[in-house]
Amino acid sequence: MCDPNMAEFQTMIEQVIQNCRPELIIDDQNGSSLKLGQLDGRYVAPFGQEHYRRVRDVALRDDDIILAGYPKTGCHWTWEVLSMIISGRAVHTKTGKLLCFMEMTTPHLLNSVQSRRILNSHLWFRYLPKQMKEKQTKTILTFRNPKDTVVSFFHHHAAMPEPRTYTGTFNGFFSLFMKGQVDLGSFFDYYKEWDEDIRNNTDQPILIVTYEDMKEDLPREIRRLAAFIDVPLTDQQVEEIAQAGSFSSMKDVYHRNNYFSDRYLRKGQVGDWKNWLTVAQSEMVDAAVEQKLKGTRFASPRYTLKV
């Protein structure tokens, strides 16, 4: 992938922040507010509906890859690893996934990216590019334990610039998360819908990658990703990418280079939820998994819903 016009890229980031126009302001039980947008009655980040509507019209190239997933389930990390796999080099990008974040970037910037592009989105299957099914675009879906996801999501909002900063407590945010009153709505409904779409679109090549699997054995997951997108790698390339592509390495590079995304990379741990959730809150998540994800692939122990 080519390096973008960094001045244009920075302008895009600044404009998205400045143009955030929340359509909804939802208060937690303590009166702290979370500012959201809407898309056909669904909760989204307040980038503006025009940003979301144009994703359907993104013109896909034959070798494009789509990377999707609920916020804070490893999209940044997977995107960076994928970019190294495609280039065959253990080198970090200058922009992270924001350059190809379809609901945020500009069409001009997106078109300036050389193939192969990794087009990222947090949207549901039905809102992704129309050509996706026709071209059978290879799609990667990230997943993470919902307990770690809610903790990471809380810190994500706390780190956001105005007008999107959430100043409430974790307990307040947790209640909004469990009600689905956050960006992209309910975690549980999101993956239930994805499960249905995978079942109903068997011709669509979709690979599920979990945060926990990436942490457990990154070289193994690099090989899985490379095989899925048909990129041959030597053992040496896999090891080099695994070293450079570790979460800690990515966070360090982002921090040293003062990348915009650095503020949203925190610990990158599995099981940190135990330092945040009460026993009652943990049981609430387990109950939601049982109620909403039962019968889906995401209720399988493989996806480590209970850690």
Side-chain angles (χ1 to χ4, degrees), residues 30-48:
N30 301 313
S32 296
S33 299
L34 192 64
K35 302 174 180 66
L36 301 171
Q38 281 192 304
L39 179 66
D40 299 332
R42 299 168 182 246
Y43 295 130
V44 291
F47 298 148

Side-chain angles (χ1 to χ4, degrees), residues 91-111:
V91 178
H92 294 85
T93 64
K94 292 183 178 181
T95 63
K97 76 181 183 71
L98 294 181
L99 177 62
C100 293
F101 188 24
M102 291 186 285
E103 47 260 47
M104 203 172 155
T105 192
T106 66
H108 181 264
L109 277 173
L110 200 58
N111 289 333

Side-chain angles (χ1 to χ4, degrees), residues 48 134 205:
E134 169 196 336

Side-chain angles (χ1 to χ4, degrees), residues 5-253:
N5 181 315
M6 293 304 293
E8 183 180 356
F9 175 74
Q10 186 61 39
T11 297
M12 179 272 289
I13 296 292
E14 292 171 355
Q15 287 179 344
V16 169
I17 294 172
Q18 293 171 2
N19 293 335
C20 271
R21 296 292 183 268
E23 299 171 80
L24 289 172
I25 297 178
I26 298 179
D27 292 337
D28 64 20
Q29 68 266 33
N30 301 313
S32 296
S33 299
L34 192 64
K35 302 174 180 66
L36 301 171
Q38 281 192 304
L39 179 66
D40 299 332
R42 299 168 182 246
Y43 295 130
V44 291
F47 298 148
Q49 290 203 18
E50 68 279 4
H51 284 256
Y52 294 101
R53 300 290 180 198
R54 71 189 184 201
V55 170
R56 286 284 287 164
D57 295 321
V58 169
L60 294 180
R61 302 170 189 167
D62 290 341
D63 62 353
D64 279 340
I65 300 162
I66 290 179
L67 173 65
Y70 192 84
K72 311 314 295 179
T73 59
C75 289
H76 263 104
W77 187 15
T78 306
W79 193 96
E80 198 72 48
V81 169
L82 279 168
S83 73
M84 293 185 195
I85 292 172
I86 289 170
S87 69
R89 298 182 302 124
V91 178
H92 294 85
T93 64
K94 292 183 178 181
T95 63
K97 76 181 183 71
L98 294 181
L99 177 62
C100 293
F101 188 24
M102 291 186 285
E103 47 260 47
M104 203 172 155
T105 192
T106 66
H108 181 264
L109 277 173
L110 200 58
N111 289 333
S112 73
V113 178
Q114 293 179 352
S115 298
R116 298 177 72 178
R117 299 182 304 180
I118 310 163
L119 306 178
N120 176 235
S121 177
H122 291 312
L123 289 172
W124 302 265
F125 184 90
R126 70 182 63 183
Y127 291 99
L128 295 177
K130 289 180 288 191
Q131 292 184 329
M132 176 179 166
K133 293 181 68 174
E134 169 196 336
K135 291 181 175 290
Q136 294 189 321
T137 304
K138 293 201 171 184
T139 303
I140 296 163
L141 178 67
T142 60
F143 184 85
R144 188 182 191 181
N145 184 304
K147 297 175 187 178
D148 279 329
T149 298
V150 64
V151 172
S152 183
F153 214 175
F154 164 68
H155 288 284
H156 175 88
H157 274 288
M160 278 187 174
E162 290 292 349
R164 299 219 58 215
T165 305
Y166 175 73
T167 58
T169 64
F170 173 74
N171 288 341
F173 186 84
F174 179 85
S175 67
L176 296 177
F177 178 85
M178 293 305 294
K179 294 175 185 175
Q181 295 177 332
V182 293
D183 302 10
L184 280 299
S186 165
F187 171 99
F188 312 99
D189 290 343
Y190 181 92
Y191 283 104
K192 181 179 181 181
E193 184 169 326
W194 263 99
D195 184 77
E196 293 172 354
D197 287 327
I198 293 171
R199 293 177 191 271
N200 294 331
N201 295 274
T202 54
D203 291 338
Q204 189 71 36
I206 298 176
L207 179 72
I208 300 170
V209 175
T210 77
Y211 199 96
E212 291 77 17
D213 284 346
M214 295 268 283
K215 289 292 291 186
E216 180 183 78
D217 192 336
L218 187 54
R220 178 192 66 205
E221 296 307 296
I222 289 170
R223 289 187 174 93
R224 283 185 70 226
L225 287 164
F228 180 69
I229 62 173
D230 301 313
V231 174
L233 293 177
T234 65
D235 289 343
Q236 181 177 346
Q237 285 175 310
V238 169
E239 291 304 319
E240 290 174 351
I241 291 171
Q243 290 181 23
S246 69
F247 186 91
S248 58
S249 176
M250 183 178 72
K251 182 177 174 63
D252 179 62
V253 169

Side-chain angles (χ1 to χ4, degrees), residues 272-286:
D272 187 45
W273 66 266
K274 296 173 184 176
N275 297 316
W276 292 87
L277 274 69
T278 64
V279 171
Q281 288 171 335
S282 176
E283 290 175 348
M284 287 175 64
V285 175
D286 291 342

